């Protein structure tokens, strides 16, 4: 699997600028952060543009919130992970913290502005004082890329669209085969109830189940019984149920299970999954979806459907995740109306690492960091002003144009620059031709390095034709 | 002047969400910050896209740096404004501060990565614990939008391109007439020398001169003599020189002034301005440029050309500014090579406020916050899955499509949604037509609300034709 290979290499290669951290005069960036160089930014821009295009195709709006929130806004939302929140110094005034994710600021935004309905995406950086593992793409400052729908709607309709969106994005980014795992928190709770788990142990047992993608059942069972004090019979019964995955077949099997359907929460979960499956078929994305009863997700605030996407055969962890959280806005809107929400977050940093390695491997390809279409080249010394006039003409026409900033650049160096940067056309300015009102155009990608004489008055039209512009 | 009118209104109107600050359950955002709602974000995106298109037209790359830097990176770069820097709390580990601008992180990046040449733009938020004046668009968290060229080049060549870039951007944003003021720090220093200002008073006197756009000469002179201890004769001589502005004519006048040209620094400045003017003419932007001897700029680190752009007749302050700073990278690169730099920063927050007010005034226009092209509408109850299938078909074809998330949305409400959101086409799904393999398409912008029957197999082609897509 190519993607898995690429990711393995990440451990060795690591992203660009970090290697130079102890470069110039012992300068460095804060622990767990990095600069992005133009090559990394070009890839990042491509990935963001692909993702944004999908969000826009689904009619999503976008919002922005401050990078820091009042400390109290974040308090009590992240459980024991709260210790990873960055606080600002007390410089007189409010107590502030850097945002830890985009979901809590979104819920605060919805509650504060009394929004009843919104479908929004938000792409921005968040901050966690975690132990960084930069060679595996885990930073203290990283992008999140969230899509959420808030509002009272028909059951599972926006929930199904979230699956479709993940499927469109992972497909468009050309990451190979993927699986979107789905499960339902109410169903899990119902199963725990059926298996005799006491209510106060639901969340700890849920978090043990969530480890089934990384640990064997034996180890998970040990955690349930030895660490979390569950009796062995209950644990075994859970194990026999949650290790199942499938699609419509699994839904039918559960529907025929009288014990499961006899529990109100489990019944609600199964019926919701059946409805979801109808919708996934209508959205033509059921083939990439797996109803996986071991999917549990860590966050406490999920109340319904939960999602997690993985790349098949690549052990890189999840590349998207999310779920329904109907209670979070209500935590802010004291006395106000509750606003149910569902959303997914694209694991953009992992995806970015994978694509960066893939592009680096294409050794015979120029990794373009600019969009320059034309380089205006000096044929002799002393033509700075003449080159400027040509640039000006081309900029006016919307043609992306550069020239050397030197007064007397070497002829060959200018062509070399075109090749390094992948600039497709060169316009050569020289004294003799200037007198005749002529410049020369060279196609840098052609096998034969021939030049065409063009009347200056026709230069814009000629270049637009070559560039396929109207 | 329309722009001036708009800006006056800003004092009354203020930006969106702040008005709701005391809305839901007493929630608020940190002092001096704000959320951006979808309307504001749509404008912001348009402005950013316009500016990025210009930077890319000139072949600029982009980089990103962390939102916080080691505190020591920022120390000693901002003079007395250092008190406005946000520090992070000491949670064990490094001492960190939020970035105060994008220039110092850029210089740190160039020094740390031993970059010899780069032309980069960077659009990102910066942080200042200033007294906010939100109704005048001054926030503690705000965007900067910087273009800088680092490297050893021919004199005034990248410097002239900065003027061209400001001219392209302000023109493209349709902000009315503008003037780009330019001056030269070496010339100012030379003038101070000629006028008998002692070297240690250069910066304080420079900062007094800089106030001539807001204060009368009498008040500036008072500051020079009473506050800053300059003798009256020197002050008067400065006044007679720096109150001049012009173009080629002023350059010629200075060239013929033996006293000015007898001073080495002033001579260097005048000759540089002459060269700049040649280049501005070649770049066809000398008409919007004013050589203004009173322009001084606050920051200490400028060493050559300085810029400031204003909107003519609108008293909104500067909308762009910058200059040459040849010493900043050297402050980081201890023992390393100095890298000369020149750059401009677009005053994006002011521009954004102006355009936001302008768009709000267009009352008969829908302010679109999405790009949705087609709304799939339910003609009867119970067609959720059918609508989903049509959406799926259109998404696959790259058509931006929405449907109501309700199971049984009211017919008229769905059309109302199209109108509110400015969605140009509706596709109506109804049982009768479904059986015949037909849907109806309505052009929402047409005077007459007629519908066209379309075979489902031809729907994508028909919509692409209507939307002008290939």
């Amino acid at each position: 699997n190519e993607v898995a290979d690429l990711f393995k290499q990440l451990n060795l290669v690591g992203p660009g600028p970090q290697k130079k951290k102890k470069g110039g005069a012992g300068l460095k960036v804060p622990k767990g952060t990095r600069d992005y160089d133009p090559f990394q930014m070009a890839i990042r821009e491509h990935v963001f543009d692909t993702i944004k295009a999908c969000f826009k195709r689904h009619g999503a709006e976008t919002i922005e919130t401050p990078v820091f929130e009042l400390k109290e806004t974040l308090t009590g939302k992240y459980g024991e992970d709260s210790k990873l929140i960055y606080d600002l110094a007390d410089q007189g005034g409010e107590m502030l913290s850097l945002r830890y994710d985009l979901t809590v600021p979104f819920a605060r935004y919805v509650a504060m502005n009394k929004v009843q309905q919104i479908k929004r995406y938000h792409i921005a950086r968040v901050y966690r004082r975690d132990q960084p593992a930069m060679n595996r793409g885990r930073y203290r400052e990283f992008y999140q890329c969230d899509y959420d729908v808030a509002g009272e709607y028909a059951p599972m309709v926006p929930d199904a669209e979230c699956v479709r969106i993940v499927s469109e994005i992972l497909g468009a980014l050309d990451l190979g085969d993927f699986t979107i795992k789905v499960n339902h928190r109410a169903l899990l709770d119902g199963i725990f109830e059926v298996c005799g788990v006491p209510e106060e142990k639901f969340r700890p047992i849920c978090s043990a189940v969530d480890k089934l993608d990384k640990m064997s059942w034996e180890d998970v069972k040990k955690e349930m019984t030895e660490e979390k004090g569950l009796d062995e019979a209950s644990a075994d019964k859970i194990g026999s149920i949650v290790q199942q995955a499938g699609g419509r077949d699994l839904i039918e099997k559960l529907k025929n299970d009288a014990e499961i359907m006899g529990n109100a929460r489990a019944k609600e979960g199964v019926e919701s999954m059946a409805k979801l499956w109808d919708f996934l078929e209508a959205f033509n994305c059921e083939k990439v979806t797996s109803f996986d009863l071991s999917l549990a997700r860590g966050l406490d605030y999920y109340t319904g459907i939960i999602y997690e996407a993985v790349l098949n055969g690549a052990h890189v962890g999840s590349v998207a995740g999310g779920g329904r959280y109907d209670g979070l806005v209500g935590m802010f809107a004291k006395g106000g109306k509750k606003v149910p929400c569902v959303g997914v977050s694209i694991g953009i940093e992992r995806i970015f690492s994978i694509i960066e390695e893939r592009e680096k491997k294409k050794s015979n390809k120029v990794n373009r960091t600019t969009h320059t279409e034309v380089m205006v080249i000096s044929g002799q010394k002393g033509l700075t002003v003449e080159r400027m006039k040509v640039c000006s003409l081309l900029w006016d026409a919307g043609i992306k144009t550069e020239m050397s900033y030197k007064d007397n650049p070497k002829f060959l160096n200018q062509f070399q620059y075109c090749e390094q940067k992948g600039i497709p056309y060169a316009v050569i300015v020289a004294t003799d031709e200037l007198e005749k009102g002529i410049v020369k155009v060279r196609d840098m990608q052609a096998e034969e390095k021939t030049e065409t004489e063009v009347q200056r008055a026709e230069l814009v039209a000629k270049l637009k034709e070559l560039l396929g512009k109207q």
Side-chain angles (χ1 to χ4, degrees), chain A:
Chain A
N1 183 300
E2 195 197 4
V3 169
D5 287 351
L6 288 174
F7 219 84
K8 251 184 234 156
Q9 288 185 21
L10 280 180
N11 287 316
L12 302 170
V13 180
Q18 282 61 44
K19 288 177 287 179
K20 302 172 200 157
K21 205 158 89 174
K22 291 176 185 180
L27 286 167
K28 53 180 190 162
V29 293
K31 183 177 176 182
T33 69
R34 60 169 163 174
D35 296 318
Y36 297 101
D37 64 25
F39 167 65
Q40 294 167 321
M41 288 301 283
I43 292 171
R44 199 154 274 258
E45 205 168 29
H46 159 72
V47 174
F48 285 153
D49 285 349
T50 304
I51 293 173
K52 276 188 210 169
C54 173
F55 293 152
K56 286 180 180 175
R57 196 156 54 238
H58 288 257
E61 302 175 307
T62 188
I63 67 165
E64 179 57 294
T65 64
V67 81
F68 43 66
E69 294 276 348
L70 297 182
K71 190 174 167 61
E72 65 194 66
T73 299
L74 306 191
T75 303
K77 307 299 185 304
Y78 302 108
E80 64 178 29
D81 283 345
S82 294
K83 67 180 185 295
L84 303 181
I85 293 173
Y86 275 99
D87 292 327
L88 268 70
D90 182 358
Q91 294 170 291
E94 302 155 328
M95 295 304 295
L96 305 173
S97 302
L98 295 185
R99 60 186 168 203
Y100 181 86
D101 64 10
L102 302 176
T103 310
V104 166
F106 173 62
R108 191 268 306 148
Y109 175 91
V110 169
M112 183 171 123
N113 296 296
K114 294 175 179 157
V115 173
Q116 291 301 315
Q117 297 183 341
I118 189 169
K119 171 160 61 173
R120 82 91 180 79
Y121 70 90
H122 191 182
I123 299 178
R125 296 201 284 191
V126 302
Y127 299 87
R128 299 185 183 178
R129 292 179 58 253
D130 219 334
Q131 200 48 43
M134 302 194 297
N135 53 3
R136 282 184 291 121
R138 196 166 78 220
Y139 288 84
R140 290 181 157 194
E141 175 184 53
F142 57 97
Y143 272 94
Q144 285 198 336
C145 192
D146 285 16
Y147 166 90
D148 294 83
V149 179
E152 290 280 2
Y153 292 119
M156 307 312 280
V157 177
D159 312 58
E161 196 181 17
C162 287
V163 178
R164 165 87 197 192
I165 280 174
V166 172
S167 148
E168 281 185 27
I169 288 173
L170 296 181
L173 290 173
D174 201 18
L175 297 168
D177 288 344
F178 55 87
T179 302
I180 305 167
K181 300 182 197 172
V182 294
N183 197 6
H184 199 288
R185 271 284 171 92
L187 174 55
L188 272 180
D189 285 353
I191 290 168
F192 296 151
E193 210 169 353
V194 166
C195 297
V197 180
E199 184 91 28
E200 72 275 11
K201 286 192 174 147
F202 278 16
R203 289 284 74 79
I205 295 302
C206 189
S207 119
V209 168
D210 196 44
K211 292 173 186 163
L212 270 171
D213 59 342
K214 293 185 206 81
M215 278 159 60
S216 69
W217 166 245
E218 285 65 39
D219 290 337
V220 169
K221 183 181 166 184
K222 203 176 279 179
E223 179 174 328
M224 286 180 177
T225 51
E226 292 178 15
E227 274 178 50
K228 293 175 173 169
L230 191 69
D231 64 282
E232 201 169 322
S234 291
D236 283 336
K237 194 165 179 182
I238 292 172
S240 72
I241 302 174
V242 300
Q243 289 182 83
Q244 302 176 90
R248 176 79 68 191
D249 52 334
L250 179 55
I251 295 167
E252 291 308 316
K253 187 179 169 194
L254 293 172
K255 267 191 183 168
N256 293 323
D257 185 324
E259 198 180 5
I260 296 277
M261 295 306 276
N263 177 283
R265 284 197 264 195
K267 183 168 184 281
E268 183 213 325
V270 172
E271 285 168 355
S272 293
M273 290 305 295
K275 198 180 272 284
L276 177 77
W277 216 262
D278 290 343
F279 295 161
L280 295 184
E281 284 169 358
F283 279 156
N284 199 24
C285 56
E286 83 287 1
K287 287 183 201 72
V288 294
T289 311
S290 167
F291 173 22
D292 188 330
L293 281 165
S294 73
L295 177 67
R297 301 280 299 160
L299 285 168
D300 284 3
Y301 56 59
Y302 289 126
T303 55
I305 182 92
I306 43 182
Y307 319 94
E308 198 164 285
V310 293
L311 302 181
N312 297 346
H315 302 285
V316 301
S318 67
V319 290
R324 176 164 285 283
Y325 49 101
D326 288 349
L328 194 58
V329 174
M331 287 178 74
F332 291 109
K334 289 160 203 120
K337 208 182 159 187
K338 283 191 182 181
V339 184
C341 296
V342 65
V344 282
S345 185
I346 308 297
I348 183 80
E349 296 286 352
R350 275 183 184 160
I351 290 171
F352 167 64
S353 296
I354 293 166
I355 294 178
E356 185 181 348
E357 286 309 306
R358 187 173 73 192
E359 293 303 307
K360 273 187 192 161
K361 273 185 120 177
K362 294 177 185 167
S363 56
N364 57 348
K365 186 180 143 276
V366 175
N367 288 307
R368 293 207 69 178
T369 56
T370 68
H371 297 72
T372 308
E373 295 162 326
V374 174
M375 175 82 180
V376 176
I377 285 179
S378 229
Q380 287 121 330
K381 291 191 175 184
L383 293 174
T384 305
V385 165
E386 290 306 327
R387 282 184 290 143
M388 285 177 162
K389 284 180 185 167
V390 176
C391 284
S392 186
L393 183 74
L394 302 188
W395 289 329
D396 284 343
I399 296 171
K400 301 182 191 79
T401 308
E402 281 185 79
M403 59 174 260
S404 165
Y405 287 138
K406 294 186 176 172
D407 266 337
N408 300 311
K410 288 193 180 122
F411 198 54
L412 280 180
N413 288 357
Q414 297 173 79
F415 285 113
Q416 224 167 19
Y417 182 86
C418 287
E419 277 167 17
Q420 279 164 7
K421 293 278 181 172
I423 301 173
Y425 294 97
V427 169
I428 302 151
V429 176
T431 320
D432 287 358
E433 286 104 17
L434 277 173
E435 282 165 12
K436 291 182 263 173
I438 281 170
V439 292
K440 282 181 178 163
V441 175
R442 184 190 282 192
D443 179 348
M444 296 299 299
Q445 288 153 323
E447 277 295 304
E448 228 177 316
K449 299 288 177 230
T450 53
E451 288 152 17
T452 316
E453 291 198 346
V454 179
Q455 287 290 328
R456 195 150 159 157
E458 284 152 24
L459 178 62
V460 166
K462 178 69 185 171
L463 287 171
K464 285 196 170 182
E465 184 199 318
L466 290 170
L467 292 162
K469 295 183 169 191
Q470 281 160 343

